Amino acid sequence: MADWDLSQDNRDLGMALVQGAFISDADLAVAEEIAAQRNKKLSDVLLEQGLVDSEVLGSVLSLKYGVPVVDLAHVEIQPEATTLVSEQVAREHHILPISVDGDTLTIATNEPHDFRIVNSIASLTRKRIETVIPVGMSLDEAIDSNYTLRAQIEQQISQITELNGDLATEVAVGADVDILRQAPIVQAVDMMLTQAVRDRASDIHIEPQEDCLLARNRIDGVLHDAVRLPLGVHSAILTRIKVMANLNIAERRRPQDGQFSATIANKSVDFRIATIESGHGEMAVLRVLDKSMLLIKLEDLGMGPSVLQPFEKLLRSPFGMILVNGPTGSGKTTTLYAALQQLDAKERNIMTIEDPIEYSFRGINQIQVNRQANITFGVGLRAIMRLDPDIILVGEIRDAETATTAVQAAITGHLVLSSIHANDAVSALIRLIDMGVEPFLVTSAVIGSLSQRLVRRVCPYCQQMVEVSASEAAAFEAETGEAKDKFSMGRGCNFCSRSGFLGRVGAYELLTVGDELRKMVMRSSSAGELKEEAVRTGMIPMRRDGMQKVKDGITTPGEIMRNVFTIL
């Protein structure tokens, strides 16, 4: 395939792009040099360097070779086509089967002129091959999207023969069957983990049902069925996962939790596992922690200027407590880690106490909660106080001991960042008081409270203006004062797996604690009164922040109503 880069056809492609004013002579020279140095195709280098996009390249190739183009973002890929060509072959030849009609298989390829690829696929499938040139999304992305590992998982499970009738019973009684040597089980679990990472899942649920073992992946906050397996492999699957997390494989009645790491698609991924006995057997939930996703900057979280600028100002405070609050799965840890990256670890001693440590930062001293060694949040925080810290991050304030110690740290000259479970920014203050912290200590320590929720982003590749329901339009008007009935919605494409959403963004409200608010807290004012004062002094409520994102086409009214509104 390297011959194509050195051929006259390849030089003609470069000249066609130059003549069409898509790239300059200098750009072409640079691309050709990189292609020669790295022994890569010129077309790949042009795409990698951002000198042309796939649509331009596809259109030029289509005109050159007389081959039609296909929009991979929106075309319906026939499952019958992908079953004819394995994922390994598709990646090796860099092609994607599109459709099959009788004895004709249509494939997408960036090299429609390369007869070696065409002949190889024809020989493999015993079909006549027609080629199209892909646009809209890269072939790698399309292969990831259309080749799920579900069929391969089921194939591995089918290879496990029944041993004495019931594999689960054999494992439970500790017979001579060692499931760790059952390659199909090992491979099936590895494929489940790989598919979850590929799907951008935040959690994997493995749940025994009446008639099957159901695996579900939480993607952008919503659970989706991943694969259904026979109940006979339930014990083997759970045992394999327990071994990976170094849990007790013989204990099924009591809850257990642990963690393990794996390298998937050249990425280091941590998994936190929790197990418990349910009505149909032991279930497990694995939290997927892709470390590359934890290094997001504050400006990439979706904070508007009215939240981002005052929050960054709070981070420059020499002392005080900043709380980040919201329900489980609302992105509190990601926000705290993004805040840590804003701080100077060279001139200041930054220390954390976490459960667990989800990402290791250079220059920051991180302590792991270890209950077996009696290192709890409270104990660890008191120890940190004796180690001359400037900034302290407390993973979560869960109890009175941790709350009291964190408040004392904040009023004795330290900047303390922590998460706490509360419904909104004002409720975080009340939550501390409910834990037993004196109101005058809360008002002296807390300088800011950030509340957040995660909502799904409209897929940018298939968004269009759509008329919404009357209730959604009314909710938008109530928050913004604007009457509008059409909003940006995703119609569904291959980028977003036909869901209309791709990724998530935060909806925020930031409370900065002023003098009048401190007085009201001391007077035991209600949460409603405190919120009114906060809004009067400039706080933008989370609902309004969310609806502003709707106005900007980032998310939908339904997403804000589902995740942010307390009363629909």
Side-chain angles (χ1 to χ4, degrees):
M1 296 183 189
D3 292 341
W4 182 64
D5 278 335
L6 303 176
S7 68
Q8 184 63 45
D9 285 344
N10 186 63
R11 289 191 290 272
D12 288 346
L13 169 63
M15 292 308 300
L17 291 168
V18 171
Q19 291 170 2
F22 297 113
I23 61 174
S24 65
D25 288 318
D27 289 337
L28 177 59
V30 169
E32 288 177 332
E33 183 179 353
I34 294 174
Q37 291 175 348
R38 301 180 183 176
N39 194 28
K40 301 186 73 171
K41 298 188 294 291
L42 177 64
S43 57
D44 287 345
V45 173
L46 290 169
L47 292 172
E48 289 173 2
Q49 298 295 315
L51 297 174
V52 296
D53 57 32
S54 59
E55 285 81 1
V56 168
L57 186 61
S59 299
V60 172
L61 288 172
S62 177
L63 290 172
K64 178 174 177 57
Y65 297 111
V67 176
V69 300
V70 63
D71 186 354
L72 291 185
H74 300 105
V75 68
E76 290 281 355
I77 307 297
Q78 292 183 1
E80 297 87 349
T82 55
T83 56
L84 290 173
V85 181
S86 70
E87 179 180 353
Q88 179 181 351
V89 171
R91 292 191 184 278
E92 179 183 346
H93 293 290
H94 209 54
I95 62 100
L96 177 69
I98 301 294
S99 62
V100 59
D101 184 9
D103 66 345
T104 301
L105 173 66
T106 301
I107 65 172
T109 173
N110 287 323
E111 303 173 45
H113 63 292
D114 194 325
F115 294 107
R116 288 173 299 176
I117 294 177
V118 173
N119 292 336
S120 177
I121 302 301
S123 176
L124 176 69
T125 61
R126 300 185 183 278
K127 299 285 185 182
R128 187 173 67 86
I129 305 300
E130 288 189 355
T131 58
V132 294
I133 295 174
V135 297
M137 67 189 303
S138 73
L139 277 171
D140 288 337
E141 291 172 319
I143 291 171
D144 285 345
S145 176
N146 289 281
Y147 276 97
T148 66
L149 298 174
R150 178 173 180 171
Q152 296 182 47
I153 294 170
E154 293 173 345
Q155 181 182 6
Q156 293 297 329
I157 294 299
S158 69
Q159 295 180 25
I160 302 174
T161 57
E162 292 187 358
L163 302 170
N164 295 332
D166 188 357
L167 179 61
T169 301
E170 296 287 343
V171 174
V173 299
D176 293 335
V177 180
D178 183 357
I179 67 162
L180 298 183
R181 296 175 184 172
Q182 296 277 342
I185 281 291
V186 174
Q187 293 182 29
V189 171
D190 289 347
M191 289 176 185
M192 291 169 67
L193 301 181
T194 299
Q195 187 63 55
V197 173
R198 184 181 291 182
D199 290 343
R200 302 176 295 105
S202 61
D203 301 88
I204 307 169
H205 290 236
I206 300 175
E207 306 163 341
Q209 307 293 316
E210 266 187 79
D211 57 348
C212 69
L213 178 65
L214 177 62
R216 299 192 291 170
N217 292 340
R218 186 178 295 279
I219 305 169
D220 294 336
V222 178
L223 284 170
H224 300 268
D225 287 0
V227 64
R228 291 175 181 267
L229 302 174
L231 272 177
V233 300
H234 168 224
S235 182
I237 293 287
L238 265 291
T239 301
R240 170 59 183 163
I241 293 173
K242 284 182 176 180
V243 168
M244 296 174 75
N246 198 28
L247 301 182
N248 184 353
I249 63 174
E251 179 59 72
R252 294 191 296 175
R253 295 173 299 174
R254 295 180 181 177
Q256 297 188 72
D257 59 84
Q259 63 186 77
F260 62 92
S261 298
T263 300
I264 297 176
N266 297 321
K267 295 190 294 186
S268 178
V269 183
D270 288 343
F271 296 88
R272 282 164 42 192
I273 174 176
T275 68
I276 194 170
E277 185 76 6
S278 69
H280 296 294
E282 192 176 21
M283 65 172 289
V285 175
L286 288 77
R287 172 65 58 87
V288 184
L289 300 170
D290 184 348
K291 293 182 178 181
S292 64
M293 301 299 292
L294 292 172
L295 292 178
I296 299 175
K297 296 181 180 179
L298 280 175
E299 54 266 30
D300 298 328
L301 295 177
M303 295 182 184
S306 60
V307 173
L308 179 59
Q309 293 173 7
F311 187 68
E312 290 179 327
K313 183 178 179 180
L314 289 173
L315 291 175
R316 293 193 292 269
S317 300
F319 57 85
M321 177 183 284
I322 302 173
L323 297 172
V324 178
N325 57 84
T328 299
S330 60
K332 299 187 295 296
T333 300
T334 301
T335 299
L336 287 171
Y337 277 0
L340 278 185
Q341 295 183 79
Q342 298 281 102
L343 303 172
D344 182 9
K346 291 184 178 180
E347 297 185 358
R348 290 185 288 184
N349 180 17
I350 302 176
M351 303 194 68
T352 76
I353 175 74
E354 305 173 61
D355 184 24
I357 296 173
E358 296 185 6
Y359 182 82
S360 296
F361 290 88
R362 183 184 298 273
I364 294 178
N365 302 296
Q366 296 171 269
I367 299 171
Q368 169 73 53
V369 167
N370 186 345
R371 291 173 182 81
Q372 293 181 341
N374 195 33
I375 302 176
T376 62
F377 277 112
V379 171
L381 187 53
R382 285 199 301 273
I384 287 174
M385 291 282 288
R386 297 189 290 271
L387 297 172
D388 188 32
D390 296 297
I391 300 170
I392 303 170
L393 185 147
V394 182
E396 183 179 348
I397 294 179
R398 299 175 179 172
D399 51 48
E401 179 188 16
T402 307
T404 302
T405 308
V407 165
Q408 290 173 348
I411 61 178
T412 54
H414 307 91
L415 179 63
V416 178
L417 286 71
S418 184
S419 70
I420 189 170
H421 287 286
N423 289 330
D424 54 39
V426 167
S427 298
L429 306 181
I430 298 175
R431 179 98 172 93
L432 287 177
I433 295 173
D434 289 342
M435 286 183 177
V437 182
E438 293 292 338
F440 75 90
L441 291 176
V442 172
T443 57
S444 300
V446 179
I447 58 175
S449 174
L450 177 73
S451 188
Q452 63 183 66
R453 301 288 190 278
L454 291 178
V455 296
R456 291 183 292 176
R457 286 181 179 268
V458 173
C459 176
Y461 301 101
C462 62
Q463 62 181 0
Q464 60 184 8
M465 298 303 290
V466 175
E467 188 170 338
V468 299
S469 66
S471 60
E472 291 176 311
F476 177 82
E477 184 175 1
E479 291 299 325
T480 64
E482 298 182 28
K484 190 177 178 182
D485 60 357
K486 287 189 175 182
F487 299 90
S488 180
M489 307 275 282
R491 66 178 182 271
C493 67
N494 289 330
F495 274 105
C496 60
S497 301
R498 303 288 166 183
S499 68
F501 297 95
L502 186 63
R504 289 193 288 179
V505 66
Y508 301 93
E509 65 179 25
L510 177 63
L511 168 69
T512 54
V513 182
D515 291 338
E516 183 58 34
L517 196 70
R518 290 188 175 93
K519 295 176 183 177
M520 293 178 68
V521 172
M522 293 294 293
R523 295 197 300 266
S524 300
S525 298
S526 67
E529 293 171 333
L530 293 174
K531 188 163 187 175
E532 286 181 7
E533 171 61 21
V535 172
R536 188 189 68 79
T537 54
M539 184 184 81
I540 298 176
M542 196 186 308
R543 290 187 183 188
R544 194 168 303 163
D545 180 69
M547 286 303 180
Q548 180 59 48
K549 289 178 170 61
V550 172
K551 183 179 178 180
D552 295 338
I554 297 173
T555 188
T556 67
E559 275 296 291
I560 300 303
M561 294 173 69
R562 183 172 68 90
N563 293 282
V564 178
F565 281 31
T566 54
I567 300 176
L568 298 180

